[in-house]
Amino acid sequence: MSVAFVFPGQGSQAVGMGKPLADNFPQARHVFAEVDDALSEKLSATIWEGPADDLTLTENAQPALMAFSLAVMRVLEAEAGIDLKRDAQFVAGHSLGEYSALAAAGALSLSDTARLLRTRGRAMQKAVPVGTGAMAALIGLEFEQAAAVAAEAAQNQVCQAANDNGGGQVVISGDKSAVERAMEIAKSRGAKRAIMLPVSAPFHCALMQPAADVMAQALAAVSVKAPGVPVVANVLAKPISDPAEIVRRLVEQVTGTVRWRECVAFMAGAGVETFYELGAGKVLSGLVKRIAEGANGIAVGTPDDVAAFVSARR
């Protein structure tokens, strides 16, 4: 059976995530401790105890979600003998999850990944003054329709399709007034719903260029290796493994569209039948089932999930 491991993005965080795993497995504890050391602070305390407002801050949520995902990965390596090089055809992650995928595949060290995501979160937050940008989910339009709506609504402002999540869900991003215009146009074009998202900045659009510049510098300062398994890149929806290209695509990803529907469709088309979502929530597992007919999406984040995974591997 061909499998891929996928890693969730922002929005999946919840206070307490990963605590049962850390309580039960030393490998998970070590990951959270290493992230704390890399950031010179007890991010694990914020993850497990809150407050939720602090965890939701982009600069905290990004390394926190990665820490949980990598904790699950290390536990599966220890408990189920998982070796990504041998057992996975691909890895991929949604937005910040692409960093988790790269760390899991050995392209980035855990400490470097934590620091990069802290930098990325801060840079994305600072790129646009609070309240001037927005993101909205358009439900019931195909990607091409949503992209056309965004382009029409822009009117010399920024409005872009930011996430192509599949299943008729496209997220748009840009200047707040342009996004509001796009929501009205979308409804007139047959969208079932248009929902403003509770985010602190307009991610994955041209307004994020200052953050992309910051990430180009940050990524140039770390060691990036060829991953042990191909990483399906958000902005390409195809696998990459060359370190220089990985850096280039991570920089592009800050302002570019997360082509998640195409990423999953590519992996399914290449023979992947089961997608294991490691870490917080079940968002990607749900999307997999909507995008790839017959594919399995299985979330792994709790000790019970790990036990079920180990049992299924026997």
Side-chain angles (χ1 to χ4, degrees):
M1 179 179 71
S2 185
V3 306
F5 289 84
V6 296
F7 299 86
Q10 206 162 330
S12 293
Q13 68 275 357
V15 172
M17 66 181 185
K19 184 71 163 65
L21 208 69
D23 287 344
N24 282 275
F25 299 103
Q27 298 83 7
R29 288 197 294 280
H30 292 157
V31 169
F32 286 108
E34 189 174 336
V35 169
D36 285 350
D37 286 346
L39 300 178
S40 300
E41 69 174 71
K42 289 281 282 186
L43 181 63
S44 57
T46 303
I47 297 171
W48 295 334
E49 299 161 22
D53 285 351
D54 286 356
L55 179 59
T56 302
L57 288 172
T58 301
E59 65 182 67
N60 290 332
Q62 295 199 19
L65 285 160
M66 182 279 299
F68 185 15
S69 288
L70 268 290
V72 178
M73 187 78 253
R74 297 292 174 253
V75 170
L76 294 185
E77 288 167 354
E79 295 294 309
I82 287 294
D83 175 350
L84 281 184
K85 287 183 188 177
R86 180 192 66 219
D87 297 322
Q89 192 172 350
F90 303 106
V91 294
H94 192 285
S95 190
L96 84 89
E98 190 163 342
Y99 286 79
S100 306
L102 287 161
L108 290 167
S109 75
L110 180 61
S111 295
D112 281 342
T113 308
R115 287 188 287 264
L116 285 167
L117 287 172
R118 168 57 57 82
T119 299
R120 184 177 184 266
R122 283 181 175 161
M124 291 171 92
Q125 190 62 65
K126 282 175 60 178
V128 181
V130 173
T132 60
M135 298 181 79
L138 307 182
I139 312 295
L141 296 183
E142 293 306 315
F143 178 73
E144 291 73 16
Q145 295 172 294
V149 164
E152 184 179 332
Q155 296 178 16
N156 296 319
Q157 289 182 297
V158 172
C159 190
Q160 292 171 233
N163 300 344
D164 180 10
N165 288 332
Q169 184 199 102
V170 181
V171 174
I172 59 171
S173 181
D175 289 294
K176 189 166 186 241
S177 53
V179 169
E180 288 168 344
R181 282 194 297 272
M183 292 170 73
E184 293 308 311
I185 295 169
K187 289 175 195 168
S188 74
R189 298 283 160 79
K192 292 175 189 166
R193 284 186 295 161
I195 307 157
M196 193 69 83
L197 299 179
V199 295
S200 54
F203 305 131
H204 299 292
C205 74
L207 295 175
M208 286 287 117
Q209 188 56 48
D213 296 339
V214 169
M215 291 314 295
Q217 285 190 309
L219 284 157
V222 301
S223 169
V224 182
K225 299 175 183 167
V229 57
V231 179
V232 179
N234 283 186
V235 296
L236 294 179
K238 67 180 186 183
I240 57 175
S241 55
D242 174 65
E245 182 168 27
I246 287 169
V247 169
R248 195 162 69 248
R249 302 305 181 186
L250 286 175
V251 174
E252 286 177 16
Q253 191 224 57
V254 178
T255 57
T257 303
V258 175
R259 296 166 59 181
W260 190 250
R261 173 181 58 86
E262 293 173 87
C263 288
V264 172
F266 171 84
M267 290 184 276
V272 173
E273 298 163 2
T274 302
F275 294 78
Y276 289 106
E277 177 179 9
L278 305 192
K282 300 180 178 180
V283 171
L284 301 186
S285 303
L287 292 177
V288 159
K289 292 167 187 173
R290 297 218 297 265
I291 295 166
E293 194 176 339
N296 254 334
I298 301 171
V300 185
T302 67
D304 285 349
D305 295 338
V306 170
F309 184 98
V310 171
S311 174
R313 295 280 299 174
R314 285 198 176 118

